[in-house]
Every structure is written in structure tokens, then in C-alpha cells.
Amino acid sequence: MAFKSLLSVVSVVAALQGANAALTRRVACPDGKNTATNAACCQLFAVREDLQENLFHGGLCTAEAHESLRLTFHDAIAISPAMEAQGKFGGGGADGSIAIFPEIETAFHPNIGLDEIVALQKPFVARHNLSHADL
């Protein structure tokens, strides 16, 4: 009896998951090989391919990949010692500020060395007409 009840619950859950997947509409991207849940995301597939091929040397886990991840993390934690000293919230989130203000942000001790990856990523931002936060 307990097995039949469990089987019924599992069947209902599986049916609901299948129905939810069927209701999620996807759009075909102009490149003919990718789909997305939002058409605005289609341009990001070209960015991904360009980054993989030209910054990460064909998708390898290189120093550039490591530094890009480090840049993303340091931009996201957004520490402002000056604001914290005033008793205010000293964070802001991933907004691309390290790349927008590299002469200021990369001088902050934990960000030392990020100026190199910021410089390497600038052509990708320009080529794909993105903001630094979007990259």
C-alpha cells in the first residue's frame, strides 16, 4: 500500500515537471544552433564563443580563465572601506566597476593584478557592444 502511494506521488511529480518543461517557451536564435528563453539572450551566445576561442584559447582552463573568474568575484563582492568607515553599507554587487575605473579599483590591495585581465577583456566589450557588467 505504501509503495502504491509513493509510486503515485512520484508519477504526479514527474507529470508536473514534464508539463512545466513543455510550457517553457524557447526562441530559436538567428545563429541557427542555439535557443533561449528570452530572445535578448541570443547575442550572448556569440560572446560566449568569442571568449572561448579568443580569450580562453579554445576553452582551455588558462590563466585568463582564472583571472576572469577572479575579476568576476572581486567585482561582485564590492567592498568600499570608505563607506564602511562611515557605518554605511560598503557593497554594491557585480557592476563592472573594476573595469570601468581600473586606475582606482585595481589599486585596492585585493584587486592588484586584475588590470591585466581588464585590458584583455576590453576588446570583447567593444566588439560585442556590451557593458563591462554584462561581460
Side-chain angles (χ1 to χ4, degrees), residues 52-131:
Q52 289 284 2
E53 187 61 34
N54 299 306
L55 184 62
F56 303 143
H57 310 287
L60 299 175
C61 188
T62 60
E64 290 84 2
H66 173 263
E67 289 302 305
S68 292
L69 184 59
R70 182 173 169 239
L71 173 62
T72 302
F73 174 77
H74 281 251
D75 189 49
I77 61 171
I79 300 169
S80 174
M83 290 180 71
E84 288 178 351
Q86 297 172 7
K88 298 178 182 175
F89 175 65
D95 57 5
S97 62
I98 293 176
I100 295 168
F101 307 107
E103 62 284 343
I104 297 168
E105 296 280 350
T106 59
F108 183 50
H109 181 70
N111 297 339
I112 291 175
L114 290 176
D115 54 332
E116 295 170 14
I117 194 64
V118 166
L120 288 173
Q121 288 184 0
K122 282 190 186 263
F124 295 92
V125 171
R127 186 165 42 245
H128 295 284
N129 194 29
L130 295 171
S131 74

